[in-house]
């Protein structure tokens, strides 16, 4: 424990521990203003005012607060000030000082852990009803179509059979995609999802993804690829990049009217890959924007459109693993534009994630 005698806001004498805690040699301390312990004049004046009130009531002034060492480094300390004569504090004040940085750090880590546990519990409580609901529709489609094919094989013509089989196929794909979203998010939340970059033919991959949407869930929309990327390859994780493109394009299609245009542009900007996905759909209400990337959150204007609220959470995780960022512009009933920026080469911290 560091101990010091203070008179007229100056350190008269102190023990070795007091000087060491503040990063000084004991010989440097006598005559120093107590201001050296604080990060600003405002903090110093506040603590002196609080101490004066306590001394006037005959009490010690006890606090836990951030102080600064000689080198300017901040640290957490418990400090107790006791006037030798409460009626005349100017006669001297005894300061007792302890470095509690390790305890404060442990408290903060524990609090973060508890908050994380609370978030996971909330996530679990939302997971079961959401996923159960999303599985129910495709399962019903599969069961009803299979039953019709089993009961009426001779009464259904070829087109009717093909439509039922296509329905089963689409429902199966939807369930597989839902499972993939859930597993991907679970891996991201548990820290298991890793960045595995390779030299990727970016323009070719974007073209493949757009083609898949054109013959699949986006066949009622016009999907335009604007490819302005001027390099053959970029060092990206193909699996994570597909999560980014698939979810952003799927949302653009889902939340815009059939017949409208969805655009994906890819270009190089300031040494980064820049992807832009634009639609002219329902937009995102201002009250939903702060929670846009939270798991299971869905905007208030989605009405009866299917979805789990996992897509954008996965997109953000995938972007962050690359060391990139995602922003957006949106207007209700006028559309949304998402901007994804990814480094052409993964930063060291991202690659090590």
């Amino acid at each position: 424990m560091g101990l010091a005698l203070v008179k007229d806001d100056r350190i008269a004498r102190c023990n070795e521990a007091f000087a060491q805690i503040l990063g000084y040699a004991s010989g440097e301390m006598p005559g120093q203003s107590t201001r050296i312990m604080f990060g600003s004049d405002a903090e110093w004046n506040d603590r002196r005012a609080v101490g004066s009130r306590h001394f006037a009531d005959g009490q010690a002034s006890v606090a836990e607060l951030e102080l600064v060492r000689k080198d300017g480094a901040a640290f957490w300390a418990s400090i107790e000030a006791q006037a030798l004569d409460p009626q005349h504090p100017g006669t001297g004040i005894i300061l007792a000082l302890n470095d509690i940085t390790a305890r404060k750090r442990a408290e903060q880590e524990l609090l973060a852990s508890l908050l994380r546990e609370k978030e996971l519990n909330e996530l679990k409580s939302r997971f079961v009803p959401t996923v159960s609901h999303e599985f129910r529709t495709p399962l019903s489609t599969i069961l009803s179509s299979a039953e019709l094919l089993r009961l009426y094989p001779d009464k259904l013509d070829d087109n009717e059979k093909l439509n039922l089989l296509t329905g089963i196929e689409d429902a199966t794909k939807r369930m597989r995609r839902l499972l993939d979203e859930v597993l991907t998010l679970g891996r991201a939340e548990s820290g298991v999802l890793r960045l595995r970059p390779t030299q990727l033919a970016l323009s070719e991959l974007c073209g493949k993804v757009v083609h898949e949407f054109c013959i699949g869930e986006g066949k009622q929309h016009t999907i335009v690829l604007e490819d302005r990327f001027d390099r053959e390859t970029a060092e990206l994780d193909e699996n994570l990049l597909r999560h980014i493109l698939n979810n952003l394009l799927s949302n653009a299609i889902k939340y815009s009217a059939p017949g409208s245009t969805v655009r994906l542009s890819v270009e190089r900007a300031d040494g980064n890959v820049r992807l832009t996905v634009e639609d002219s759909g329902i937009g995102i209400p201002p009250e939903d924007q702060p929670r846009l990337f939270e798991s299971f959150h869905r905007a208030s204007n989605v009405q009866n459109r299917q979805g789990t609220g996992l897509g954008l959470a996965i997109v953000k995780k995938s972007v962050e693993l690359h060391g990139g960022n995602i922003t957006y512009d949106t207007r209700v009933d006028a559309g949304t534009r998402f901007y994804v920026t990814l480094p052409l080469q993964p930063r060291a911290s991202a690659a090590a994630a």
Side-chain angles (χ1 to χ4, degrees):
M1 176 186 293
L3 295 172
L5 173 63
V6 174
K7 291 184 178 181
D8 298 322
D9 295 322
R10 292 191 176 275
I11 298 168
R13 60 179 183 269
C14 70
N15 66 1
E16 187 73 25
F18 189 92
Q20 287 181 350
I21 290 173
L22 292 170
Y24 292 84
S26 58
E28 296 180 88
M29 299 304 292
Q32 293 274 15
S33 168
T34 53
R35 167 65 179 83
I36 64 170
M37 301 164 57
F38 295 86
S40 69
D41 288 340
E43 293 174 6
W44 181 48
N45 289 326
D46 285 347
R47 180 46 42 191
R48 290 163 66 208
V50 171
S52 296
R53 289 197 297 270
H54 286 154
F55 300 151
D57 293 334
Q59 299 175 349
S61 179
V62 181
E64 292 184 354
L65 64 163
E66 271 195 312
L67 300 179
V68 293
R69 304 187 201 277
K70 181 180 180 179
D71 62 3
F75 71 101
W76 276 98
S78 68
I79 184 168
E80 180 176 347
Q82 178 73 60
L84 294 176
D85 182 353
Q87 301 303 318
H88 303 92
T91 59
I93 296 169
I94 298 296
L95 288 185
L97 186 67
N98 282 296
D99 185 342
I100 59 169
T101 303
R103 174 166 68 79
K104 278 292 185 179
R105 186 180 297 118
E107 289 175 356
Q108 291 167 354
E109 291 175 354
L110 177 60
L111 179 60
S113 177
L114 291 173
L115 288 174
R116 183 66 184 145
E117 184 177 352
K118 180 182 177 184
E119 290 173 358
L120 288 173
N121 287 335
E122 291 175 352
L123 196 66
K124 291 175 184 176
S125 68
R126 285 180 285 168
F127 172 82
V128 173
T130 301
V131 173
S132 297
H133 174 76
E134 287 302 310
F135 267 120
R136 191 174 295 118
T137 300
L139 278 173
S140 296
T141 299
I142 293 171
L143 290 173
S144 60
S145 298
E147 187 172 8
L148 287 172
L149 288 168
R150 180 176 62 83
L151 293 175
Y152 307 108
D154 299 327
K155 296 183 179 179
L156 298 171
D157 60 33
D158 289 343
N159 283 334
E160 289 172 328
K161 291 178 180 177
L162 181 60
N163 287 336
L164 291 172
L165 290 171
T166 300
I168 292 174
E169 182 180 14
D170 290 343
T172 303
K173 288 179 179 177
R174 182 179 164 194
M175 291 175 64
R176 183 176 62 187
R177 180 171 177 177
L178 175 59
L179 278 172
D180 185 46
E181 287 183 346
V182 171
L183 292 173
T184 299
L185 185 64
R187 291 169 62 207
E189 293 288 346
S190 62
V192 176
L193 192 62
R194 293 285 186 267
L195 180 71
R196 294 181 172 83
T198 59
Q199 288 298 330
L200 188 63
L202 180 59
S203 296
E204 181 181 338
L205 177 64
C206 289
K208 287 180 180 178
V209 171
V210 167
H211 176 70
E212 290 166 4
F213 274 95
C214 286
I215 62 174
E217 63 183 277
K219 56 190 173 185
Q220 295 184 2
H221 291 69
T222 299
I223 306 177
V224 177
L225 172 61
E226 297 176 350
D227 182 10
R228 296 185 290 273
F229 190 62
D230 58 358
R231 292 180 53 164
E232 290 187 6
T233 63
E235 195 172 350
L236 302 169
D237 184 310
E238 181 175 353
N239 184 48
L240 295 180
L241 184 58
R242 277 189 171 271
H243 281 305
I244 294 168
L245 294 174
N246 286 340
N247 280 295
L248 290 180
L249 285 170
S250 178
N251 281 353
I253 291 165
K254 184 189 304 181
Y255 299 120
S256 59
S260 63
T261 298
V262 170
R263 297 182 186 278
L264 166 63
S265 67
V266 54
E267 59 191 330
R268 183 159 62 100
D270 300 324
N272 297 306
V273 175
R274 186 174 174 88
L275 303 166
T276 306
V277 176
E278 179 182 1
D279 65 65
S280 55
I282 63 175
I284 304 162
E287 62 270 21
D288 289 302
Q289 293 175 24
R291 300 183 60 196
L292 187 61
F293 296 103
E294 288 185 14
S295 301
F296 298 108
H297 179 73
R298 303 195 71 206
S300 54
N301 61 340
V302 300
Q303 297 177 335
N304 60 350
R305 294 175 177 87
Q306 296 172 344
T308 61
L310 295 178
L312 287 179
I314 292 171
V315 169
K316 187 171 177 62
K317 294 284 187 184
S318 300
V319 170
E320 289 175 344
L321 281 170
H322 276 95
N325 64 77
I326 179 169
T327 58
Y328 61 92
D329 293 325
T330 186
R331 286 176 55 202
V332 174
D333 296 327
T336 301
R337 186 185 291 117
F338 280 96
Y339 307 97
V340 173
T341 302
L342 305 173
L344 281 168
Q345 293 182 328
R347 301 185 181 99
S349 59

